[in-house]
Amino acid sequence: MAHMVTEAERAAQRRVVGVVRISGVLSGGGLAVWRDDATGDSGASAAELSQDLNLLGVPHETVTAFRPRRAREPYHRKGREVRIPFAEIGRLVRWVPSLQQPIDELPAGTSGFTFTCFEPRRSGMATVLLSCFAAEWPTWTVRQAGSMGLLCARCGFDLRTRRAGQRLAYNIPERPELCRLVCGTCCEDGLPELERLSGAGEPA
């Protein structure tokens, strides 16, 4: 028997369609919608969007995410990002059929939700996934990427890319409270220093 759509589901569908059309970002990880914590955005908040997706039976998660600051703002903008994994996006297409075409046209190898870097530790190089960036970070300008710490702190290489011999990224542990990265090409001679700063060779 076909599922009879309720009035509550229709209302949730209208809200979700509006937010996805205005703010949805499609990536290799799935679809994400970012909501500003401080100032709010047009349409539903992250919590309200999550409630609507629950009602429509669309699996998702909500994570903290940041965007570069606007002019004259002192800090990055903190918000919440509602993410629908690619494996579950078909459940959203049922309610937002217009998504099917951009999904079909999404280029292979498109970046996902996270940014990968490699942090030197005593036991070796650890892989770290930085998921606290808004989903559209691959499309930020170089200036925006720099303000979010995604350029090599020493040579300015754009760490969002993997050009120039698949450069790795190493976290600089001098300032652990900051996301400050260096690439593994210009800084190869400095790896022993990075290991020392990260605690290599010190007692457990």
Side-chain angles (χ1 to χ4, degrees):
M1 178 183 288
H3 171 71
M4 295 296 293
V5 178
T6 66
E7 286 299 319
E9 288 173 329
R10 284 295 184 206
Q13 179 186 23
R14 287 192 291 271
R15 290 190 293 267
V16 167
V17 167
V19 172
V20 167
R21 284 180 176 172
I22 294 171
S23 305
V25 177
L26 196 61
S27 74
L31 184 130
V33 176
W34 187 83
R35 306 277 86 190
D36 193 317
D37 275 354
T39 61
D41 290 282
S42 59
S45 67
E48 291 167 338
L49 179 58
S50 179
Q51 289 177 354
D52 285 339
L53 292 173
N54 282 332
L55 180 62
L56 299 178
V58 180
H60 63 281
E61 65 174 345
T62 303
V63 301
T64 300
F66 295 86
R67 278 184 173 172
R69 65 183 180 87
R70 295 189 183 106
R72 299 184 181 178
E73 289 180 337
Y75 305 110
H76 304 148
R77 289 181 289 153
K78 180 180 179 182
R80 304 286 288 170
E81 195 165 75
V82 180
R83 296 175 174 176
I84 301 165
F86 218 102
E88 306 291 350
I89 208 166
R91 301 197 188 191
L92 180 63
V93 171
R94 176 192 172 196
W95 302 101
V96 191
S98 59
L99 269 178
Q100 190 60 60
Q101 182 175 348
I103 289 172
D104 293 341
E105 295 174 352
L106 191 69
T110 303
S111 300
F113 294 135
T114 57
F115 174 77
T116 304
C117 71
F118 298 86
E119 182 173 337
R121 295 180 181 174
R122 202 171 38 178
S123 58
M125 206 58 70
T127 301
V128 180
L129 293 178
L130 303 178
S131 60
C132 58
F133 300 119
E136 64 268 72
W137 65 259
T139 65
W140 291 347
T141 65
V142 171
R143 184 173 182 177
Q144 288 174 314
S147 75
M148 295 298 287
L150 294 179
L151 302 183
C152 175
R154 294 176 180 167
C155 76
F157 176 74
D158 191 339
L159 291 162
R160 296 171 301 167
T161 73
R162 288 293 180 267
R163 298 188 305 271
Q166 301 289 305
R167 298 188 189 197
L168 302 181
Y170 296 95
N171 191 30
I172 300 180
E174 296 122 293
R175 300 285 301 278
E177 74 278 8
L178 297 177
C179 179
R180 189 166 176 266
L181 305 174
V182 295
C183 76
T185 298
C186 74
C187 309
E188 284 179 352
D189 294 338
L191 284 180
E193 177 68 5
L194 288 176
E195 291 169 359
R196 183 188 69 77
L197 290 168
S198 65
E202 296 178 2

